[in-house]
Amino acid sequence: MKNSRRRDRSYGKGMDPVESVFKPLKSGDLYPTKMVREDKSTWKANYFTKIGELFDEYPKCFIVGVDNVGSKQMQEIRHAMRGHAVILMGKNTMIRKAIRANLAKNPSLEKLLPYIVQNVGFVFTKEDLSEIRDKLLENRRGAPAKAGAIAPCDVKLPPQNTGMGPEKTSFFQALQIPTKIARGTIEILNEVHLISIGDKVGASEAALLNMLGIMPFSYGLVVLQVYDNGTIYAPQVLDLSTSELRSRFLQGVRNVAAVSLAIKYPTAASVPHSIAAGLQSMLGIAAVTDITFKQAEKIKAYLANPGAFAVAAAPAAAAAAPAAAAAKKEEPKEESDDDMGFGLFD
């Protein structure tokens, strides 16, 4: 009897135990099911395997900073990058350990280790790096200024009517912001540089920006370094055009050639200059001696009979003169008022 009463209480007051057993269950009735997570060692092993597979599959990736990025924003970024890139986050110690485990297969991964510090993650892709970076920048979100935060950019207040009453004047005076009362509201007279980049946001500055409804900062994934087929470089390289890359490369080649010539150490950049300088020396020797070779024959012929070269050059100069005269035309005269059919005082 006691067991039946206990059973009645367990399945519901005034309910038959048999009916309670066969009654359709609702969420939270009896014993709710609970998902069991895999053990920690299995999860770590799978995580290490995933990192190795990503580095094998994707030749390019970004090392990104994720400071001030919330879980909801990260979810939106993952959704936007779906089909274009894979985002991987994790503890720095685990990422380093996973990379070291794959060094035997891919030694170039060792270059990534010094950059896995602070709050960072990876964005793997096979597409154009500039386009993927633009997609990341599109998913930045505005954020209010919080006291104690480091300003990622300069914050300036333009001249404006704040819409605040005169009782807030002392607040602006404490921040040394020039104001005046216009139609019962406070108006900022001049542009004010409120916060500089890298400065810590004060409580007064944060309160003022919040009162004005200004969200001066924006946060998102920030590209810190670029890994491209075993090479690491700064993201600013992605902004360089082909012509600018070519000019910088040529400047570097000229610098290498100059240093090599100065220290008399032959390199691929300096050898052409050394050959040209050697040929000039040989031509100078051939010009004053009886030594001759193919490249020196024309110089010797010129020294032997300079007049022959002068006669050959005369027809060429005569042919070039009419062309130069035809190219030089008189500029058309400006039209006067008489040409328009009326005089100045008509």
Side-chain angles (χ1 to χ4, degrees):
M1 193 69 178
K2 293 182 179 179
N3 293 336
S4 63
R5 290 178 180 175
R6 188 180 297 115
R7 199 179 297 117
D8 288 344
R9 286 195 298 267
S10 63
Y11 288 100
K13 185 177 180 180
M15 185 180 294
D16 184 37
V18 177
E19 293 178 358
S20 300
V21 171
F22 291 98
K23 182 181 178 182
L25 298 178
K26 298 180 181 179
S27 177
D29 288 345
L30 293 179
Y31 306 102
T33 57
K34 182 179 180 180
M35 296 183 65
V36 180
R37 186 179 178 181
E38 58 188 354
D39 60 286
K40 193 172 182 179
S41 59
T42 305
W43 179 81
K44 282 187 175 181
N46 294 337
Y47 184 79
F48 292 157
T49 303
K50 181 180 180 181
I51 292 180
E53 291 175 350
L54 288 174
F55 277 110
D56 291 340
E57 182 179 358
Y58 296 91
K60 300 177 286 188
C61 71
F62 289 134
I63 300 178
V64 295
V66 293
D67 290 336
N68 302 300
V69 179
S71 58
K72 183 179 180 181
Q73 184 180 357
M74 179 62 72
Q75 184 179 2
E76 294 174 354
I77 295 174
R78 289 182 185 274
H79 180 73
M81 302 303 294
R82 192 171 299 165
H84 302 283
V86 177
I87 300 176
L88 175 71
M89 304 300 299
K91 293 183 178 180
N92 292 348
T93 53
M94 293 182 61
I95 295 176
R96 292 194 201 99
K97 186 176 180 180
I99 289 177
R100 291 191 180 100
N102 288 273
L103 289 180
K105 185 166 51 177
N106 191 356
S108 61
L109 295 179
E110 188 176 4
K111 300 176 183 178
L112 294 171
L113 295 176
Y115 301 102
I116 304 176
V117 292
Q118 298 180 350
N119 196 12
V120 298
F122 290 87
V123 178
F124 295 90
T125 184
K126 295 179 181 178
E127 300 183 8
D128 184 73
L129 292 173
S130 297
E131 295 179 359
I132 297 300
R133 186 186 60 167
D134 293 340
K135 289 182 179 294
L136 292 176
L137 294 176
E138 291 174 0
N139 288 276
R140 296 181 67 86
R141 297 290 180 269
K146 296 182 180 180
I150 303 300
C153 61
D154 292 328
V155 179
K156 297 180 180 180
L157 290 180
Q160 59 179 309
N161 192 311
T162 64
M164 299 180 185
E167 67 275 4
K168 299 289 186 180
T169 304
S170 59
F171 190 83
F172 288 89
Q173 291 177 348
L175 293 173
Q176 298 180 354
I177 299 177
T179 59
K180 71 174 183 179
I181 305 300
R183 297 181 180 179
T185 57
I186 299 176
E187 181 178 343
I188 299 176
L189 298 177
N190 304 318
E191 184 180 68
V192 179
H193 195 162
L194 191 62
I195 306 173
S196 298
I197 183 172
D199 290 349
K200 184 178 292 187
V201 180
S204 300
E205 290 85 351
L208 175 61
L209 292 171
N210 290 332
M211 286 191 296
L212 294 175
I214 298 175
M215 294 196 297
F217 305 145
S218 62
Y219 297 114
L221 298 186
V222 180
V223 179
L224 303 177
Q225 294 293 329
V226 182
Y227 176 82
D228 188 356
N229 293 293
T231 304
I232 291 185
Y233 52 86
Q236 289 78 10
V237 176
L238 299 176
D239 298 325
L240 299 178
S241 61
T242 304
S243 59
E244 190 172 358
L245 282 174
R246 183 176 182 275
S247 64
R248 292 195 178 192
F249 175 77
L250 293 178
Q251 181 62 40
V253 170
R254 287 192 289 267
N255 293 339
V256 171
V259 173
S260 301
L261 292 173
I263 64 176
K264 294 181 172 55
Y265 184 83
T267 60
S270 66
V271 165
H273 299 278
S274 300
I275 293 175
L279 180 60
Q280 290 177 357
S281 300
M282 293 172 61
L283 291 175
I285 295 173
V288 297
T289 62
D290 295 334
I291 301 174
T292 183
F293 50 91
K294 184 178 179 181
Q295 289 78 8
E297 290 177 356
K298 191 173 182 178
I299 293 179
K300 283 184 169 292
Y302 176 79
L303 294 176
N305 188 9
F309 287 86
V311 172
K328 186 179 180 180
K329 297 180 179 179
E330 294 184 0
E331 296 183 359
K333 295 182 179 179
E334 297 182 359
E335 297 180 354
S336 62
D337 294 337
D338 295 336
D339 297 334
M340 301 296 291
F342 55 84
L344 182 61
F345 300 102
D346 289 347

mmCIF file of all heavy atoms in Angstrom, residues 64-93:
data_model
loop_
_atom_site.group_PDB
_atom_site.id
_atom_site.type_symbol
_atom_site.label_atom_id
_atom_site.label_comp_id
_atom_site.label_asym_id
_atom_site.label_seq_id
_atom_site.Cartn_x
_atom_site.Cartn_y
_atom_site.Cartn_z
ATOM 1 N N VAL A 64 44.697 36.183 -36.761
ATOM 2 C CA VAL A 64 43.805 37.296 -36.470
ATOM 3 C C VAL A 64 43.701 37.514 -34.965
ATOM 4 O O VAL A 64 43.753 36.570 -34.175
ATOM 5 C CB VAL A 64 42.397 37.058 -37.063
ATOM 6 C CG1 VAL A 64 42.455 37.024 -38.577
ATOM 7 C CG2 VAL A 64 41.788 35.765 -36.542
ATOM 8 N N GLY A 65 43.573 38.783 -34.578
ATOM 9 C CA GLY A 65 43.295 39.133 -33.195
ATOM 10 C C GLY A 65 41.795 39.212 -32.972
ATOM 11 O O GLY A 65 41.060 39.725 -33.827
ATOM 12 N N VAL A 66 41.338 38.696 -31.840
ATOM 13 C CA VAL A 66 39.894 38.621 -31.574
ATOM 14 C C VAL A 66 39.524 39.370 -30.304
ATOM 15 O O VAL A 66 38.543 39.026 -29.642
ATOM 16 C CB VAL A 66 39.432 37.151 -31.493
ATOM 17 C CG1 VAL A 66 39.546 36.479 -32.837
ATOM 18 C CG2 VAL A 66 40.250 36.382 -30.467
ATOM 19 N N ASP A 67 40.270 40.395 -29.971
ATOM 20 C CA ASP A 67 39.945 41.177 -28.774
ATOM 21 C C ASP A 67 38.608 41.892 -28.963
ATOM 22 O O ASP A 67 38.304 42.420 -30.042
ATOM 23 C CB ASP A 67 41.040 42.217 -28.495
ATOM 24 C CG ASP A 67 42.330 41.557 -28.025
ATOM 25 O OD1 ASP A 67 42.256 40.433 -27.490
ATOM 26 O OD2 ASP A 67 43.402 42.159 -28.202
ATOM 27 N N ASN A 68 37.814 41.915 -27.897
ATOM 28 C CA ASN A 68 36.527 42.636 -27.858
ATOM 29 C C ASN A 68 35.505 42.102 -28.856
ATOM 30 O O ASN A 68 34.582 42.822 -29.239
ATOM 31 C CB ASN A 68 36.746 44.134 -28.098
ATOM 32 C CG ASN A 68 37.688 44.757 -27.092
ATOM 33 O OD1 ASN A 68 37.446 44.740 -25.900
ATOM 34 N ND2 ASN A 68 38.801 45.304 -27.585
ATOM 35 N N VAL A 69 35.666 40.863 -29.295
ATOM 36 C CA VAL A 69 34.698 40.238 -30.195
ATOM 37 C C VAL A 69 33.835 39.284 -29.381
ATOM 38 O O VAL A 69 34.348 38.320 -28.805
ATOM 39 C CB VAL A 69 35.394 39.490 -31.349
ATOM 40 C CG1 VAL A 69 34.359 38.825 -32.251
ATOM 41 C CG2 VAL A 69 36.254 40.446 -32.152
ATOM 42 N N GLY A 70 32.533 39.551 -29.325
ATOM 43 C CA GLY A 70 31.628 38.714 -28.557
ATOM 44 C C GLY A 70 31.249 37.438 -29.282
ATOM 45 O O GLY A 70 31.537 37.254 -30.476
ATOM 46 N N SER A 71 30.587 36.546 -28.553
ATOM 47 C CA SER A 71 30.209 35.255 -29.125
ATOM 48 C C SER A 71 29.191 35.414 -30.255
ATOM 49 O O SER A 71 29.257 34.713 -31.268
ATOM 50 C CB SER A 71 29.644 34.351 -28.026
ATOM 51 O OG SER A 71 28.521 34.964 -27.405
ATOM 52 N N LYS A 72 28.256 36.346 -30.102
ATOM 53 C CA LYS A 72 27.261 36.555 -31.154
ATOM 54 C C LYS A 72 27.907 37.105 -32.417
ATOM 55 O O LYS A 72 27.588 36.657 -33.532
ATOM 56 C CB LYS A 72 26.174 37.512 -30.657
ATOM 57 C CG LYS A 72 25.059 37.718 -31.664
ATOM 58 C CD LYS A 72 23.980 38.648 -31.125
ATOM 59 C CE LYS A 72 22.875 38.842 -32.159
ATOM 60 N NZ LYS A 72 21.824 39.757 -31.667
ATOM 61 N N GLN A 73 28.828 38.047 -32.265
ATOM 62 C CA GLN A 73 29.526 38.594 -33.427
ATOM 63 C C GLN A 73 30.387 37.525 -34.090
ATOM 64 O O GLN A 73 30.465 37.452 -35.324
ATOM 65 C CB GLN A 73 30.383 39.791 -33.021
ATOM 66 C CG GLN A 73 31.063 40.469 -34.203
ATOM 67 C CD GLN A 73 31.904 41.663 -33.791
ATOM 68 O OE1 GLN A 73 31.935 42.025 -32.612
ATOM 69 N NE2 GLN A 73 32.588 42.273 -34.735
ATOM 70 N N MET A 74 31.026 36.676 -33.281
ATOM 71 C CA MET A 74 31.837 35.603 -33.848
ATOM 72 C C MET A 74 30.962 34.633 -34.636
ATOM 73 O O MET A 74 31.364 34.146 -35.705
ATOM 74 C CB MET A 74 32.570 34.865 -32.727
ATOM 75 C CG MET A 74 33.428 33.704 -33.206
ATOM 76 S SD MET A 74 34.763 34.210 -34.326
ATOM 77 C CE MET A 74 35.852 35.020 -33.157
ATOM 78 N N GLN A 75 29.774 34.369 -34.144
ATOM 79 C CA GLN A 75 28.852 33.503 -34.866
ATOM 80 C C GLN A 75 28.459 34.130 -36.203
ATOM 81 O O GLN A 75 28.372 33.434 -37.228
ATOM 82 C CB GLN A 75 27.613 33.241 -34.016
ATOM 83 C CG GLN A 75 26.627 32.266 -34.639
ATOM 84 C CD GLN A 75 25.422 32.032 -33.748
ATOM 85 O OE1 GLN A 75 25.297 32.630 -32.683
ATOM 86 N NE2 GLN A 75 24.520 31.158 -34.178
ATOM 87 N N GLU A 76 28.227 35.431 -36.219
ATOM 88 C CA GLU A 76 27.893 36.113 -37.470
ATOM 89 C C GLU A 76 29.058 36.074 -38.448
ATOM 90 O O GLU A 76 28.852 35.914 -39.664
ATOM 91 C CB GLU A 76 27.495 37.560 -37.171
ATOM 92 C CG GLU A 76 26.210 37.703 -36.368
ATOM 93 C CD GLU A 76 25.939 39.142 -35.972
ATOM 94 O OE1 GLU A 76 26.820 40.003 -36.224
ATOM 95 O OE2 GLU A 76 24.850 39.419 -35.414
ATOM 96 N N ILE A 77 30.276 36.219 -37.942
ATOM 97 C CA ILE A 77 31.456 36.170 -38.819
ATOM 98 C C ILE A 77 31.612 34.777 -39.412
ATOM 99 O O ILE A 77 31.902 34.620 -40.611
ATOM 100 C CB ILE A 77 32.712 36.588 -38.038
ATOM 101 C CG1 ILE A 77 32.618 38.056 -37.603
ATOM 102 C CG2 ILE A 77 33.969 36.375 -38.877
ATOM 103 C CD1 ILE A 77 33.741 38.501 -36.701
ATOM 104 N N ARG A 78 31.433 33.756 -38.592
ATOM 105 C CA ARG A 78 31.528 32.380 -39.108
ATOM 106 C C ARG A 78 30.478 32.135 -40.198
ATOM 107 O O ARG A 78 30.767 31.501 -41.218
ATOM 108 C CB ARG A 78 31.339 31.383 -37.966
ATOM 109 C CG ARG A 78 32.502 31.316 -36.982
ATOM 110 C CD ARG A 78 32.231 30.257 -35.924
ATOM 111 N NE ARG A 78 33.256 30.232 -34.900
ATOM 112 C CZ ARG A 78 34.399 29.541 -34.990
ATOM 113 N NH1 ARG A 78 34.629 28.821 -36.077
ATOM 114 N NH2 ARG A 78 35.280 29.565 -34.011
ATOM 115 N N HIS A 79 29.289 32.661 -39.977
ATOM 116 C CA HIS A 79 28.240 32.487 -40.974
ATOM 117 C C HIS A 79 28.586 33.209 -42.272
ATOM 118 O O HIS A 79 28.353 32.682 -43.374
ATOM 119 C CB HIS A 79 26.914 33.005 -40.412
ATOM 120 C CG HIS A 79 25.766 32.863 -41.367
ATOM 121 N ND1 HIS A 79 25.169 31.657 -41.663
ATOM 122 C CD2 HIS A 79 25.112 33.801 -42.116
ATOM 123 C CE1 HIS A 79 24.202 31.845 -42.543
ATOM 124 N NE2 HIS A 79 24.142 33.131 -42.836
ATOM 125 N N ALA A 80 29.147 34.411 -42.162
ATOM 126 C CA ALA A 80 29.501 35.177 -43.364
ATOM 127 C C ALA A 80 30.662 34.539 -44.120
ATOM 128 O O ALA A 80 30.724 34.640 -45.352
ATOM 129 C CB ALA A 80 29.853 36.612 -42.973
ATOM 130 N N MET A 81 31.575 33.879 -43.414
ATOM 131 C CA MET A 81 32.748 33.286 -44.058
ATOM 132 C C MET A 81 32.506 31.860 -44.525
ATOM 133 O O MET A 81 33.407 31.251 -45.109
ATOM 134 C CB MET A 81 33.927 33.304 -43.087
ATOM 135 C CG MET A 81 34.312 34.672 -42.570
ATOM 136 S SD MET A 81 34.699 35.846 -43.885
ATOM 137 C CE MET A 81 36.155 35.105 -44.569
ATOM 138 N N ARG A 82 31.321 31.319 -44.271
ATOM 139 C CA ARG A 82 31.036 29.946 -44.659
ATOM 140 C C ARG A 82 31.140 29.787 -46.167
ATOM 141 O O ARG A 82 30.576 30.551 -46.940
ATOM 142 C CB ARG A 82 29.644 29.552 -44.174
ATOM 143 C CG ARG A 82 29.343 28.064 -44.255
ATOM 144 C CD ARG A 82 28.037 27.770 -43.542
ATOM 145 N NE ARG A 82 28.136 28.131 -42.117
ATOM 146 C CZ ARG A 82 27.082 28.248 -41.317
ATOM 147 N NH1 ARG A 82 25.857 28.102 -41.813
ATOM 148 N NH2 ARG A 82 27.249 28.554 -40.046
ATOM 149 N N GLY A 83 31.884 28.782 -46.592
ATOM 150 C CA GLY A 83 32.109 28.558 -48.010
ATOM 151 C C GLY A 83 33.308 29.300 -48.562
ATOM 152 O O GLY A 83 33.732 29.037 -49.698
ATOM 153 N N HIS A 84 33.857 30.243 -47.794
ATOM 154 C CA HIS A 84 35.015 31.014 -48.238
ATOM 155 C C HIS A 84 36.249 30.747 -47.376
ATOM 156 O O HIS A 84 37.377 30.771 -47.882
ATOM 157 C CB HIS A 84 34.710 32.510 -48.205
ATOM 158 C CG HIS A 84 33.541 32.899 -49.047
ATOM 159 N ND1 HIS A 84 33.611 33.013 -50.419
ATOM 160 C CD2 HIS A 84 32.254 33.191 -48.708
ATOM 161 C CE1 HIS A 84 32.430 33.373 -50.896
ATOM 162 N NE2 HIS A 84 31.586 33.484 -49.882
ATOM 163 N N ALA A 85 36.059 30.529 -46.084
ATOM 164 C CA ALA A 85 37.184 30.349 -45.174
ATOM 165 C C ALA A 85 36.712 29.549 -43.961
ATOM 166 O O ALA A 85 35.514 29.409 -43.707
ATOM 167 C CB ALA A 85 37.764 31.700 -44.739
ATOM 168 N N VAL A 86 37.682 29.032 -43.207
ATOM 169 C CA VAL A 86 37.425 28.268 -41.989
ATOM 170 C C VAL A 86 38.110 28.991 -40.837
ATOM 171 O O VAL A 86 39.313 29.295 -40.905
ATOM 172 C CB VAL A 86 37.945 26.824 -42.096
ATOM 173 C CG1 VAL A 86 37.724 26.074 -40.786
ATOM 174 C CG2 VAL A 86 37.260 26.102 -43.240
ATOM 175 N N ILE A 87 37.369 29.277 -39.787
ATOM 176 C CA ILE A 87 37.896 29.985 -38.619
ATOM 177 C C ILE A 87 38.179 28.964 -37.522
ATOM 178 O O ILE A 87 37.326 28.148 -37.184
ATOM 179 C CB ILE A 87 36.912 31.045 -38.115
ATOM 180 C CG1 ILE A 87 36.644 32.075 -39.224
ATOM 181 C CG2 ILE A 87 37.450 31.739 -36.875
ATOM 182 C CD1 ILE A 87 35.599 33.109 -38.851
ATOM 183 N N LEU A 88 39.387 29.023 -36.973
ATOM 184 C CA LEU A 88 39.798 28.114 -35.909
ATOM 185 C C LEU A 88 40.238 28.921 -34.700
ATOM 186 O O LEU A 88 41.077 29.804 -34.806
ATOM 187 C CB LEU A 88 40.956 27.220 -36.375
ATOM 188 C CG LEU A 88 41.554 26.291 -35.315
ATOM 189 C CD1 LEU A 88 40.573 25.169 -34.984
ATOM 190 C CD2 LEU A 88 42.882 25.713 -35.773
ATOM 191 N N MET A 89 39.651 28.620 -33.568
ATOM 192 C CA MET A 89 40.021 29.257 -32.314
ATOM 193 C C MET A 89 40.475 28.180 -31.341
ATOM 194 O O MET A 89 40.193 26.995 -31.522
ATOM 195 C CB MET A 89 38.836 30.031 -31.727
ATOM 196 C CG MET A 89 38.238 31.069 -32.650
ATOM 197 S SD MET A 89 39.410 32.336 -33.152
ATOM 198 C CE MET A 89 39.814 33.026 -31.550
ATOM 199 N N GLY A 90 41.172 28.579 -30.290
ATOM 200 C CA GLY A 90 41.624 27.627 -29.284
ATOM 201 C C GLY A 90 42.649 28.250 -28.365
ATOM 202 O O GLY A 90 43.074 29.400 -28.549
ATOM 203 N N LYS A 91 43.041 27.487 -27.354
ATOM 204 C CA LYS A 91 44.072 27.959 -26.438
ATOM 205 C C LYS A 91 45.426 27.992 -27.140
ATOM 206 O O LYS A 91 45.746 27.108 -27.933
ATOM 207 C CB LYS A 91 44.136 27.055 -25.212
ATOM 208 C CG LYS A 91 42.893 27.119 -24.325
ATOM 209 C CD LYS A 91 43.071 26.249 -23.093
ATOM 210 C CE LYS A 91 41.853 26.349 -22.179
ATOM 211 N NZ LYS A 91 42.007 25.497 -20.976
ATOM 212 N N ASN A 92 46.206 29.017 -26.821
ATOM 213 C CA ASN A 92 47.506 29.169 -27.477
ATOM 214 C C ASN A 92 48.419 27.982 -27.209
ATOM 215 O O ASN A 92 49.174 27.545 -28.090
ATOM 216 C CB ASN A 92 48.171 30.464 -27.017
ATOM 217 C CG ASN A 92 47.447 31.697 -27.515
ATOM 218 O OD1 ASN A 92 46.586 31.609 -28.386
ATOM 219 N ND2 ASN A 92 47.771 32.852 -26.969
ATOM 220 N N THR A 93 48.388 27.449 -25.979
ATOM 221 C CA THR A 93 49.258 26.308 -25.660
ATOM 222 C C THR A 93 48.895 25.093 -26.499
ATOM 223 O O THR A 93 49.784 24.374 -26.984
ATOM 224 C CB THR A 93 49.134 25.971 -24.168
ATOM 225 O OG1 THR A 93 47.747 25.801 -23.826
ATOM 226 C CG2 THR A 93 49.718 27.085 -23.315
#
